[in-house]
Amino acid sequence: MTSDKTFSRRAVIAGAGAVLAAPAVVKAQAQVLKIANLVPRSGFFAQAGQSMHRGALASPALLAELGYKVEIVHIDTESNADVARTQAERAINDGCHVITGAFDSGHTLAIAQVAEQRQIPFVVNVAAAPQITEQGYKYLVRNFQTGGQLVTNGLRLIKDVTDAKGIKLETAVFLHANDTFGTAQRGAMDAIWPRVNLPIKLVESIAYDPRAQDLSVEVTKIRSINPDLVMCVTRASDAIKMVRDMVRQRFQPKAIISPGSPGFYDEEFYQALGPLADFLLFGLPWVNPKSAMSQAFEKAFQKANPNNRFAPDGFNAGFTFEGFLIAAEGFKKAGTTNGPQLMEAIRGVNIAEHVMIGGPIQFDAKGQNVNIGSAMIQNIKRTPTVVFPSAVAVTEPVLPLPAWQGRS
Amino acid sequence: MLWSLYGNVLVQGILTGLVYGLMALGLSVIFGVVRVVNFAHGEFAVVAMYAAFVLFKQFGLDPFVSLLPIAAAFFVLGYGLQRTLINPFVSRPEHEQFILLVGLAIILVNGSLMVFGPDARSVNLPYSFDSWMIGEIIVDKVRVFAAIAALAVASLLFAFFRFTQTGVAIRACADNLVGAAVVGLDVKRLYALTFGLGMACVGAAGALMVTLTDATPMIAPAFTLLAFTIVIIGGMGSMAGAVVGGLLIGVVEAMASLVIAPSMKTMVSFGLLVLILALRPQGLLGRRA
């Protein structure tokens, strides 16, 4: 018996095409958004990466409560841009629909290239390098301030908070790490300082190696200048060294304020310095203590991480959560995981209720969130506490800096 | 005043340099005798820092006290490592030794990361933040204690090699291995003793270092690099060279921070390394091969 069915070459090619396209069709119709969260959980940035990871562990419960269906894939970039690039490729091959991350600007740029080539949305949660949103990437949005915005907002907050307290600061020294972030902040400071008209004379900028064993010489140098204000761009380990050497050298400025950098709010900073960690100030985008979603997220965080305090992790965890929230909202709007359609929906989100301080999450044509806010935070009883602006503050700032000696 | 600024920086450089010297001493001792370059040197120092941290947190033991049991434990660890893991590699090509020790270093760093996490762990002693004012010079108490302890440990080691029979036997092994074997010295045992002594130095240096800086897994490669720089400047295998090299690096880095820029100090110490390699390849106190 012979079959009367014949297969034309065209039919075979169409059939093969359908088989090959099937995973993409299935992917496009997925009911759950698969998000790859790439953060540096080991290596040089491990402390921040672990903090973000704790936020990632807490997020699914709250997202589910809010009606979003997401699956989060946790990936370690090992503080290495090459690993970040490779892992982004791998995550896409494994069927992830969106990438979030990646804390370090260099890692972020490496992932952005992959996302662009593969047409997969990339929601940047923390990374400040201006070029991230200046290079014309179509598959990227950033829910974080640029380095310039961090410094501008940080300096404005210095003026506002000193004006509010009636404190006069005449001279300042700027101390910064000589890594990518610190050098970018120095560039922003050089460009922005003359424009903000602060009534303070910037006497000197000092770059230091963040991998140095101590900052005794740097502090000796600052002590010899004796400024009223020390502005610094640090991370936790070098911030510890800086304060420790200031106390040992009995150097007491009127204020120590970071105009937009991490370091002062990490748990290791509080553990290492105890009461000496108190009263330092920093201007940063921060968790809104008065938002209902922040409070819900804090509860979810404590449940997922019972051994960690939310307040020191709030910055990293909050931005991590918001990265997922943006992706999930985009998915809800688009109703598909198809890259170009999902990206279009993500770029068009308008999320009024969220965790970090600021207006609704909305992106401009370059993919930059235009409504992200900053606050002045002060360490009070070893807890980062919002002290300015008053709309979101929970207590009054303490200025000038109380003496190092006699704290308990 | 300018002179007090330079004076402060010079004192800090000397005090830090002495601890650097002790850190490098272990590497120099091991290389000088066993001819194995310990590429896991900094990683072992970090393990010692964590040991001091744990002893402080659990038992309130001051690192200046706990350095003794830590050094003893590291001696035993070094002895055992040499007899079991390192010894089979002593006569093998250098690249095989390199792979072994780098592998060990990776295990130590990631093991520390798994056990202690990435956060910096610090030991805050009652005098951690105290200092003396000598005229216009401020001297940190903890740095002075660390420098004195480093000098004491180095002196003990020098005395051991100079005045004990075992020390003389180890020096004989370093000078002429075949001759030492011919006269009946137990070379394998002496190698293990030397590795143990080198590791005891690393243990003591790690315990001292935790009083000056915080323990994190990620500082280990920096310690290894620092120790290598010092040992090459001082002279590979020269114990006095390690101490002199440490002092030199401490002072040069401190002065470079002041005169040029703090962020350039590492570049200056590497510049010094290149200069010494060019002018005196065997190092300041090393002997020509």
Side-chain angles (χ1 to χ4, degrees):
Chain A
M1 205 172 141
T2 56
S3 169
D4 57 358
K5 283 183 184 171
T6 56
F7 294 97
S8 69
R9 199 168 43 182
R10 194 170 292 167
V12 170
I13 290 169
V19 169
L20 287 173
V25 172
V26 171
K27 198 164 92 174
Q29 291 171 342
Q31 296 301 303
V32 175
L33 185 72
K34 198 169 171 184
I35 305 172
N37 186 45
L38 274 71
V39 289
R41 284 162 56 196
S42 59
F44 187 64
F45 298 122
Q47 189 277 332
Q50 292 285 355
S51 175
M52 296 180 92
H53 181 60
R54 289 192 283 272
L57 294 176
S59 298
L62 183 55
L63 288 168
E65 242 177 71
L66 297 169
Y68 297 113
K69 291 175 180 171
V70 300
E71 178 194 342
I72 294 163
V73 180
H74 306 282
I75 299 172
D76 179 12
T77 58
E78 300 173 22
S79 300
N80 181 315
D82 289 333
V83 175
R85 184 183 293 112
T86 315
Q87 292 288 29
E89 286 276 8
R90 196 173 155 190
I92 296 167
N93 289 343
D94 287 349
C96 289
H97 310 121
V98 179
I99 298 173
T100 57
F103 183 74
D104 176 70
S105 293
H107 303 173
T108 301
L109 286 165
I111 296 167
Q113 290 168 5
V114 177
E116 198 70 12
Q117 286 159 6
R118 303 290 297 271
Q119 300 193 331
I120 291 291
F122 178 24
V123 182
V124 178
N125 47 30
V126 178
Q131 61 265 41
I132 291 169
T133 41
E134 293 296 329
Q135 292 185 343
Y137 290 122
K138 292 187 181 69
Y139 284 83
L140 175 151
V141 289
R142 168 162 55 186
N143 186 41
F144 196 73
Q145 293 179 354
T146 64
Q149 288 171 326
L150 283 174
V151 172
T152 306
N153 294 334
L155 292 178
R156 277 196 196 126
L157 284 162
I158 290 176
K159 186 172 188 318
D160 293 346
V161 84
T162 49
D163 284 352
K165 295 295 289 182
I167 303 289
K168 190 166 168 57
L169 304 172
E170 289 180 355
T171 52
V173 164
F174 180 49
L175 180 73
H176 67 92
N178 72 340
D179 57 11
T180 315
F181 176 63
T183 309
Q185 295 295 82
R186 163 73 180 270
M189 179 66 86
D190 287 346
I192 294 162
W193 181 267
R195 296 208 301 260
V196 290
N197 292 323
L198 269 169
I200 305 171
K201 187 181 176 194
L202 181 59
V203 183
E204 190 157 348
S205 294
I206 300 171
Y208 66 88
D209 180 356
R211 291 168 203 252
Q213 311 309 326
D214 63 61
L215 294 178
S216 58
V217 176
E218 290 82 345
V219 170
T220 305
K221 209 169 173 177
I222 297 171
R223 188 173 172 271
S224 73
I225 297 166
N226 195 24
D228 292 334
L229 168 66
V230 175
M231 293 183 291
C232 49
V233 169
T234 56
R235 298 190 194 279
S237 58
D238 32 314
I240 294 167
K241 293 170 201 163
M242 181 190 78
V243 173
R244 199 175 269 155
D245 278 308
M246 281 185 178
V247 180
R248 282 174 183 161
Q249 297 193 29
R250 305 175 197 186
F251 170 57
Q252 182 78 53
K254 283 185 184 167
I256 300 173
I257 305 177
S258 169
S261 78
F264 289 171
Y265 56 79
D266 294 302
E267 193 66 67
E268 63 180 307
F269 185 72
Y270 301 120
Q271 292 292 329
L273 295 171
L276 297 170
D278 282 343
F279 309 117
L280 304 179
L281 288 146
F282 46 99
L284 273 179
W286 200 255
V287 171
N288 185 346
K290 295 183 175 172
S291 135
M293 196 177 278
S294 301
Q295 288 157 10
F297 183 56
E298 182 172 0
K299 277 186 193 149
F301 181 94
Q302 287 306 161
K303 201 171 175 188
N305 308 280
N307 297 323
N308 292 83
R309 292 194 297 157
F310 176 69
D313 273 341
F315 172 89
N316 289 311
F319 274 116
T320 302
F321 172 76
E322 285 203 348
F324 301 145
L325 181 68
I326 292 162
E329 177 65 17
F331 177 50
K332 193 176 171 185
K333 273 182 69 183
T336 172
T337 53
N338 174 271
Q341 288 167 269
L342 182 56
M343 189 68 234
E344 199 184 329
I346 287 173
R347 277 182 173 266
V349 297
N350 182 356
I351 306 172
E353 274 295 312
H354 57 104
V355 170
M356 309 306 284
I357 289 168
I361 297 175
Q362 293 170 335
F363 299 104
D364 65 12
K366 292 176 180 173
Q368 175 67 42
N369 179 358
V370 289
N371 293 323
I372 191 156
S374 274
M376 188 60 92
I377 325 296
Q378 188 163 40
N379 287 334
I380 294 172
K381 293 182 181 171
R382 273 129 277 170
T383 302
T385 309
V386 179
V387 293
F388 208 88
S390 47
V392 284
V394 290
T395 188
E396 281 281 305
V398 178
L399 266 174
L401 180 72
W404 300 120
Q405 283 73 28
R407 293 194 192 181
S408 59
Chain B
M1 279 198 293
L2 202 59
W3 73 265
S4 71
L5 178 62
Y6 278 88
N8 270 310
V9 170
L10 184 66
V11 169
Q12 282 156 11
I14 291 169
L15 296 176
T16 308
L18 281 167
V19 182
Y20 283 180
L22 181 64
M23 177 80 78
L25 196 58
L27 185 71
S28 192
V29 165
I30 292 169
F31 178 78
V33 180
V34 190
R35 298 284 153 186
V36 166
V37 181
N38 184 7
F39 287 98
H41 188 82
E43 285 72 11
F44 279 117
V46 168
V47 172
M49 289 174 83
Y50 278 120
F53 167 77
V54 169
L55 289 173
F56 178 76
K57 281 282 169 196
Q58 294 297 318
F59 308 106
L61 215 53
D62 189 314
F64 290 108
V65 176
S66 67
L67 78 85
L68 292 171
I70 290 171
F74 267 62
F75 174 83
V76 175
L77 175 70
Y79 192 97
L81 263 179
Q82 163 65 22
R83 292 300 305 236
T84 54
L85 200 64
I86 312 284
N87 206 40
F89 284 79
V90 168
S91 52
R92 289 201 199 172
E94 280 88 356
H95 69 270
E96 290 188 24
Q97 296 175 8
F98 172 80
I99 291 166
L100 171 76
L101 287 155
V102 167
L104 196 58
I106 292 169
I107 291 167
L108 290 172
V109 165
N110 288 289
S112 304
L113 191 62
M114 283 171 69
V115 176
F116 296 100
D119 289 3
R121 305 287 175 156
S122 54
V123 171
N124 284 332
L125 301 161
Y127 46 88
S128 283
F129 296 98
D130 287 353
S131 53
W132 288 297
M133 284 289 285
I134 304 170
E136 291 200 23
I137 307 288
I138 291 183
V139 188
D140 303 344
K141 282 186 183 175
V142 78
R143 274 203 180 85
V144 172
F145 297 154
I148 291 170
L151 267 182
V153 173
S155 304
L156 274 175
L157 199 68
F158 284 123
F160 173 79
F161 280 114
R162 182 76 181 83
F163 300 115
T164 67
Q165 278 195 334
T166 312
V168 172
I170 290 173
R171 282 165 54 208
C173 282
D175 284 346
N176 187 339
L177 183 62
V178 178
V182 166
V183 297
L185 293 178
D186 183 349
V187 173
K188 280 188 180 173
R189 185 178 149 271
L190 291 172
Y191 271 11
L193 274 176
T194 308
F195 211 94
L197 284 171
M199 287 286 287
C201 279
V202 179
L208 294 182
M209 197 52 98
V210 83
T211 65
L212 303 178
T213 192
D214 301 322
T216 66
M218 296 311 143
I219 52 168
F223 282 162
T224 302
L225 196 61
L226 177 73
F228 272 94
T229 310
I230 290 168
V231 166
I232 293 167
I233 286 174
M236 288 293 274
S238 164
M239 285 167 44
V243 176
V244 170
L247 266 174
L248 197 61
I249 287 290
V251 171
V252 164
E253 284 197 351
M255 295 313 280
S257 299
L258 189 58
V259 177
I260 305 171
S263 56
M264 304 292 270
K265 63 184 176 189
T266 312
M267 193 197 77
V268 173
S269 60
F270 280 110
L272 180 70
L273 174 74
V274 171
L275 188 70
I276 285 177
L277 278 175
L279 298 177
R280 197 176 156 81
Q282 72 273 31
L284 292 174
L285 302 182
R287 286 179 298 180
R288 277 189 190 281

